[in-house]
Coordinates of all heavy atoms in Angstrom, one line a residue:
W1 N 7.7 -48.4 -13.5 CA 8.2 -49.8 -13.4 C 7.1 -50.8 -13.2 O 7.1 -51.9 -13.7 CB 9.2 -49.9 -12.2 CG 9.8 -51.2 -12.0 CD1 9.4 -52.1 -11.1 CD2 10.9 -51.8 -12.7 NE1 10.2 -53.3 -11.2 CE2 11.1 -53.1 -12.2 CE3 11.7 -51.3 -13.8 CZ2 12.1 -53.9 -12.7 CZ3 12.7 -52.2 -14.2 CH2 12.9 -53.4 -13.7
D2 N 6.0 -50.3 -12.4 CA 4.9 -51.2 -12.1 C 3.9 -51.3 -13.3 O 3.3 -52.4 -13.5 CB 4.2 -50.8 -10.9 CG 5.1 -50.9 -9.6 OD1 6.0 -51.8 -9.7 OD2 4.9 -50.1 -8.7
H3 N 3.7 -50.3 -14.0 CA 2.7 -50.2 -15.0 C 3.1 -50.1 -16.5 O 2.4 -50.5 -17.4 CB 1.7 -49.0 -14.7 CG 1.1 -49.0 -13.4 ND1 1.7 -48.6 -12.2 CD2 -0.2 -49.5 -13.0 CE1 0.9 -48.7 -11.2 NE2 -0.3 -49.3 -11.7
S4 N 4.3 -49.6 -16.7 CA 4.8 -49.4 -18.1 C 6.3 -49.5 -18.2 O 7.0 -48.5 -18.1 CB 4.3 -48.1 -18.7 OG 4.7 -48.0 -20.0
R5 N 6.8 -50.8 -18.3 CA 8.2 -50.9 -18.3 C 8.9 -50.3 -19.6 O 10.0 -49.7 -19.5 CB 8.6 -52.4 -18.4 CG 8.2 -53.2 -17.1 CD 9.1 -52.8 -16.0 NE 8.7 -53.5 -14.7 CZ 9.2 -54.7 -14.4 NH1 10.1 -55.3 -15.1 NH2 8.8 -55.2 -13.3
F6 N 8.1 -50.2 -20.7 CA 8.6 -49.6 -21.9 C 8.9 -48.1 -21.6 O 9.9 -47.5 -22.0 CB 7.6 -49.8 -23.0 CG 8.1 -49.0 -24.3 CD1 9.1 -49.5 -25.1 CD2 7.5 -47.8 -24.6 CE1 9.5 -48.9 -26.2 CE2 7.9 -47.1 -25.8 CZ 8.9 -47.7 -26.6
W7 N 7.9 -47.4 -21.0 CA 8.1 -46.0 -20.6 C 9.3 -45.8 -19.7 O 10.0 -44.9 -19.8 CB 6.8 -45.5 -20.0 CG 6.8 -44.0 -19.8 CD1 7.7 -43.1 -20.3 CD2 5.8 -43.2 -19.2 NE1 7.3 -41.8 -20.0 CE2 6.2 -41.9 -19.3 CE3 4.6 -43.6 -18.5 CZ2 5.4 -40.9 -18.7 CZ3 3.8 -42.6 -17.9 CH2 4.2 -41.2 -18.0
F8 N 9.4 -46.8 -18.7 CA 10.5 -46.7 -17.8 C 11.9 -46.7 -18.5 O 12.7 -45.8 -18.3 CB 10.5 -47.8 -16.8 CG 11.6 -47.8 -15.8 CD1 11.6 -47.1 -14.6 CD2 12.8 -48.6 -16.1 CE1 12.6 -47.2 -13.7 CE2 13.8 -48.6 -15.2 CZ 13.8 -47.9 -14.0
W9 N 12.0 -47.7 -19.4 CA 13.3 -47.8 -20.1 C 13.5 -46.7 -21.1 O 14.6 -46.2 -21.3 CB 13.5 -49.1 -20.8 CG 13.6 -50.3 -19.8 CD1 12.7 -51.3 -19.6 CD2 14.6 -50.5 -18.9 NE1 13.1 -52.1 -18.6 CE2 14.3 -51.7 -18.1 CE3 15.8 -49.8 -18.6 CZ2 15.1 -52.2 -17.1 CZ3 16.6 -50.4 -17.6 CH2 16.3 -51.5 -16.9
S10 N 12.4 -46.2 -21.7 CA 12.5 -45.1 -22.7 C 12.9 -43.8 -21.9 O 13.7 -43.1 -22.4 CB 11.2 -44.9 -23.4 OG 10.8 -46.1 -24.1
D11 N 12.2 -43.6 -20.8 CA 12.6 -42.4 -20.0 C 14.0 -42.5 -19.6 O 14.8 -41.5 -19.7 CB 11.7 -42.4 -18.8 CG 11.7 -41.1 -18.1 OD1 12.7 -40.4 -18.0 OD2 10.6 -40.6 -17.6
L12 N 14.5 -43.6 -19.1 CA 15.9 -43.7 -18.7 C 16.8 -43.5 -19.9 O 17.9 -42.8 -19.7 CB 16.1 -45.1 -18.0 CG 17.5 -45.4 -17.6 CD1 18.0 -44.3 -16.5 CD2 17.6 -46.8 -17.0
G13 N 16.5 -44.1 -21.0 CA 17.3 -44.0 -22.2 C 17.5 -42.5 -22.7 O 18.6 -42.0 -23.0
L14 N 16.3 -41.8 -22.7 CA 16.4 -40.4 -23.1 C 17.1 -39.6 -22.1 O 17.9 -38.6 -22.5 CB 14.9 -39.9 -23.2 CG 14.1 -40.4 -24.4 CD1 12.7 -39.9 -24.4 CD2 14.8 -40.0 -25.7
G15 N 17.0 -39.9 -20.8 CA 17.8 -39.2 -19.8 C 19.3 -39.3 -20.0 O 20.1 -38.4 -19.9
L16 N 19.7 -40.6 -20.2 CA 21.1 -40.9 -20.4 C 21.6 -40.2 -21.7 O 22.8 -39.7 -21.7 CB 21.4 -42.4 -20.5 CG 21.1 -43.2 -19.1 CD1 21.3 -44.7 -19.4 CD2 22.1 -42.6 -18.1
A17 N 20.8 -40.2 -22.7 CA 21.2 -39.6 -24.0 C 21.4 -38.1 -23.8 O 22.3 -37.5 -24.3 CB 20.2 -39.9 -25.1
G18 N 20.5 -37.5 -23.0 CA 20.6 -36.1 -22.7 C 21.8 -35.8 -21.9 O 22.5 -34.7 -22.1
L19 N 22.2 -36.7 -20.9 CA 23.3 -36.5 -20.1 C 24.6 -36.5 -21.0 O 25.6 -35.8 -20.7 CB 23.4 -37.6 -19.1 CG 24.5 -37.5 -18.0 CD1 24.2 -36.3 -17.1 CD2 24.5 -38.8 -17.1
V20 N 24.6 -37.4 -22.0 CA 25.8 -37.4 -22.9 C 25.8 -36.1 -23.8 O 26.8 -35.5 -24.1 CB 25.7 -38.7 -23.8 CG1 26.8 -38.6 -24.8 CG2 25.9 -39.9 -22.9
A21 N 24.6 -35.7 -24.3 CA 24.5 -34.6 -25.2 C 24.9 -33.3 -24.6 O 25.5 -32.4 -25.3 CB 23.0 -34.5 -25.7
V22 N 24.7 -33.1 -23.3 CA 25.1 -31.8 -22.7 C 26.6 -31.6 -22.7 O 27.1 -30.5 -22.4 CB 24.5 -31.7 -21.2 CG1 23.0 -31.6 -21.2 CG2 25.0 -32.8 -20.4
H23 N 27.4 -32.7 -23.0 CA 28.8 -32.5 -23.1 C 29.1 -31.5 -24.2 O 30.2 -30.9 -24.2 CB 29.5 -33.8 -23.3 CG 30.9 -33.8 -23.5 ND1 31.8 -33.5 -22.4 CD2 31.7 -33.9 -24.6 CE1 33.1 -33.5 -22.9 NE2 33.0 -33.7 -24.2
W24 N 28.3 -31.4 -25.3 CA 28.5 -30.6 -26.4 C 27.6 -29.3 -26.4 O 27.4 -28.7 -27.4 CB 28.2 -31.3 -27.7 CG 29.3 -32.4 -28.0 CD1 30.5 -32.2 -28.6 CD2 29.1 -33.8 -27.7 NE1 31.1 -33.4 -28.7 CE2 30.3 -34.4 -28.2 CE3 28.1 -34.6 -27.2 CZ2 30.6 -35.8 -28.0 CZ3 28.4 -35.9 -27.0 CH2 29.6 -36.5 -27.5
R25 N 27.2 -29.0 -25.2 CA 26.3 -27.8 -25.1 C 26.9 -26.5 -25.4 O 26.3 -25.5 -25.8 CB 25.7 -27.7 -23.6 CG 26.8 -27.4 -22.6 CD 26.2 -27.6 -21.2 NE 27.2 -27.3 -20.1 CZ 28.1 -28.1 -19.7 NH1 28.2 -29.3 -20.2 NH2 29.0 -27.7 -18.8
R26 N 28.3 -26.4 -25.3 CA 28.9 -25.2 -25.7 C 29.2 -25.1 -27.2 O 29.1 -24.0 -27.7 CB 30.3 -25.1 -24.9 CG 30.1 -24.8 -23.5 CD 31.5 -24.6 -22.8 NE 31.4 -24.0 -21.5 CZ 32.4 -23.6 -20.8 NH1 33.6 -23.6 -21.3 NH2 32.3 -23.1 -19.6
R27 N 29.4 -26.2 -27.8 CA 29.7 -26.2 -29.2 C 28.4 -26.1 -30.0 O 28.4 -25.4 -31.1 CB 30.4 -27.5 -29.6 CG 30.9 -27.6 -31.0 CD 31.8 -28.8 -31.2 NE 32.3 -28.9 -32.5 CZ 33.1 -29.9 -33.0 NH1 33.4 -30.9 -32.2 NH2 33.6 -29.8 -34.2
F28 N 27.3 -26.7 -29.6 CA 26.0 -26.6 -30.2 C 25.0 -26.2 -29.2 O 24.1 -27.0 -28.8 CB 25.6 -27.9 -30.9 CG 26.7 -28.5 -31.8 CD1 27.5 -29.6 -31.4 CD2 26.9 -28.0 -33.0 CE1 28.5 -30.1 -32.2 CE2 27.9 -28.5 -33.9 CZ 28.7 -29.5 -33.4
P29 N 25.0 -25.0 -28.7 CA 24.1 -24.6 -27.5 C 22.6 -24.7 -27.9 O 21.9 -25.3 -27.1 CB 24.5 -23.2 -27.2 CG 25.2 -22.7 -28.5 CD 25.8 -23.8 -29.1
V30 N 22.2 -24.2 -29.0 CA 20.8 -24.2 -29.3 C 20.3 -25.6 -29.6 O 19.2 -26.0 -29.1 CB 20.5 -23.3 -30.5 CG1 19.0 -23.3 -30.9 CG2 21.0 -21.8 -30.2
T31 N 21.0 -26.4 -30.4 CA 20.6 -27.7 -30.7 C 20.5 -28.6 -29.5 O 19.5 -29.3 -29.3 CB 21.7 -28.3 -31.7 OG1 21.8 -27.5 -32.9 CG2 21.2 -29.7 -32.1

């Protein structure tokens, strides 16, 4: 937040995307 806001938001975005993706972890476990 102090040194790289882009990394902060990118990190947060990827984390939220992963949180949504794990909903299909049983249907597409390897992917």
Side-chain angles (χ1 to χ4, degrees):
W1 182 262
D2 294 334
H3 298 84
S4 178
R5 296 289 179 89
F6 175 77
W7 189 8
F8 176 88
W9 294 113
S10 299
D11 195 322
L12 179 60
L14 290 174
L16 293 176
L19 190 64
V20 174
V22 292
H23 178 73
W24 291 279
R25 65 189 181 279
R26 289 186 168 189
R27 190 172 181 180
F28 308 103
V30 177
T31 302

